[in-house]
Amino acid sequence: MKKIVLKISLFSICLMGSFSAFPCGGVWNACGSDDVIALGSDALDNCCAGSAIVIHDICEGRAFLMVVPENGPNSSCGG
């Protein structure tokens, strides 16, 4: 029982760390053009210049690379 609790705890910590440490990078999943556009808009508003995000449209089977051109107004790097 202790091993299961430990594994779940470690997984939770790793998952939270990956979201909090790299929210403006990696692969984001979307479904359809509207969702892709919404995620792109969120990245422009909330990410720093140079952040690279792959938006994977799992419903259409496409992927898009987005590189944020300038600091977003809501980003921690000062918009």
Side-chain angles (χ1 to χ4, degrees), residues 12-75:
S12 298
I13 291 169
C14 290
L15 188 61
M16 288 180 354
S18 66
F19 287 134
S20 63
F22 305 106
C24 287
V27 177
W28 295 1
N29 291 324
C31 182
S33 297
D34 290 341
D35 204 15
V36 170
I37 291 168
L39 286 177
S41 179
D42 286 347
L44 291 174
D45 286 343
N46 299 302
C47 296
C48 297
S51 297
I53 299 134
V54 174
I55 301 175
H56 182 220
D57 186 341
I58 58 176
C59 294
E60 300 293 326
R62 299 178 293 178
F64 306 92
L65 173 63
M66 179 177 182
V67 179
V68 177
E70 57 188 36
N71 295 336
N74 301 327
S75 67

